[in-house]
Amino acid sequence: MRLAFTFLFSLVLFFTVKAQQYVSTKLFDMATTAEKIVYGSIVKMDEKFFFIDGINEKGKQEKVKVTKYVSRSNAYRWDKNEVGQKVLLFHKRVNGDYAIMSNGEEGELAIIKDSVVVPMKTFTLMTNQNLAGGANKLNEEYRNKQSFMVGNKKVFGLRFPVKYFYKSVLDFRDCYQVILKKPNTSASTTCFNFFDRYSRDKLNVYKKKSLLLKLMYNDMAEAQKANCKQP
């Protein structure tokens, strides 16, 4: 009995620590480091992959084979993948195939009619508090106001027109370059450098045109500051 209790306690502790260690992949990270960004409709599915026909980051029509998200039995992100479903995906290559970035649902965004819903967890706490109007206003009332039905789940997030969102992400990708200090890590969790691709005046023009681009820049600067702190 004592051995069984010890094992159970260790198992609970393991999963608690594992959950605490998980950090959501941030939007600025996906925008700058994704190997492919595409939005469109799922046109085919098989056991391990689904196939999307959509527009890639170069503005060209492309069919992409994507590895299905696999977790515990019967788990899925915001809804089960099915033919006809519209999605916006951030990809990285894993074992030669494209896979969705992040261990959560951050890299697979739902398109609802002509809008995309972006989870709030893809932004830093600072940005979440600023959007709410202060730390004390990041409460249940605000969460309910900013929650949208996405598939079978209610997602706390921001809703943008697809074209605006996609252009802001691609403009941000053109404006800044992220370089990781350690290979095979993430700018969401580890130290990194970022560099301007354009002059400051030109970058300021982009920020004035897109609030979302400005939010991503603020998050990038905040994440770098937090992730590069000396232990």
Side-chain angles (χ1 to χ4, degrees):
M1 176 65 75
R2 184 177 180 181
L3 183 61
F5 176 79
T6 302
F7 173 75
L8 182 61
F9 177 79
S10 300
L11 194 64
V12 171
L13 181 63
F14 170 78
F15 283 109
T16 301
V17 171
K18 187 174 181 181
Q20 290 174 343
Q21 289 176 339
Y22 175 70
V23 176
S24 300
T25 305
K26 300 297 181 274
L27 182 59
F28 84 85
D29 183 4
M30 295 189 290
T32 53
T33 66
E35 294 180 48
K36 184 173 288 297
I37 307 172
V38 63
Y39 78 90
S41 299
I42 296 175
V43 294
K44 180 183 175 183
M45 296 184 62
D46 62 27
E47 187 177 348
K48 294 183 178 180
F49 302 95
F50 64 85
F51 301 78
I52 182 171
D53 188 357
I55 305 296
N56 64 23
E57 69 281 0
K58 296 179 181 178
K60 296 182 179 180
Q61 196 79 19
E62 183 179 2
K63 289 185 179 179
V64 184
K65 182 176 76 170
V66 185
T67 304
K68 285 183 180 178
Y69 171 68
V70 178
S71 181
R72 62 190 182 279
S73 179
N74 296 322
Y76 53 89
R77 296 169 185 266
W78 42 268
D79 205 352
K80 294 180 179 179
N81 292 129
E82 57 185 19
V83 172
Q85 188 181 80
K86 294 183 178 180
V87 290
L88 192 153
L89 307 173
F90 294 89
H91 296 137
K92 280 203 168 182
R93 283 196 180 274
V94 178
N95 298 324
D97 294 315
Y98 282 116
I100 298 163
M101 290 181 69
S102 82
N103 292 320
E105 67 271 21
E106 303 95 78
E108 181 181 353
L109 304 179
I111 296 176
I112 309 299
K113 294 184 179 179
D114 61 347
S115 299
V116 59
V117 177
V118 187
M120 285 293 195
K121 62 183 177 180
T122 62
F123 301 100
T124 62
L125 176 61
M126 177 192 72
T127 291
N128 271 263
Q129 292 174 342
N130 289 340
L131 288 171
N136 62 323
K137 293 185 178 180
L138 190 60
N139 51 31
E140 186 176 356
E141 181 182 356
Y142 174 72
R143 288 177 179 275
N144 289 335
K145 182 181 177 182
Q146 284 299 137
S147 293
F148 306 91
M149 281 304 300
V150 178
N152 293 318
K153 296 182 181 179
K154 219 171 188 182
V155 175
F156 174 49
L158 297 177
R159 188 169 181 171
F160 299 102
V162 175
K163 290 184 178 179
Y164 167 84
F165 176 82
Y166 202 55
K167 187 176 189 312
S168 296
V169 165
L170 296 185
D171 284 347
F172 187 77
R173 187 181 179 89
D174 289 339
C175 287
Y176 302 101
Q177 179 184 14
V178 164
I179 297 181
L180 300 171
K181 290 290 187 74
K182 295 180 181 179
N184 302 318
T185 57
S186 164
S188 300
T189 57
T190 58
C191 188
F192 64 92
N193 288 325
F194 68 88
F195 301 94
D196 300 342
R197 295 184 186 271
Y198 301 133
S199 68
R200 183 168 295 182
D201 287 343
K202 188 172 182 179
L203 292 173
N204 286 336
V205 171
Y206 277 100
K207 290 177 187 176
K208 287 180 181 179
K209 285 183 178 180
S210 171
L211 172 63
L212 178 58
L213 189 147
K214 187 175 181 180
L215 292 179
M216 286 188 282
Y217 174 80
N218 292 342
D219 271 359
M220 182 169 63
E222 179 69 13
Q224 185 197 46
K225 181 180 176 182
N227 295 351
C228 295
K229 283 182 179 178
Q230 295 295 324

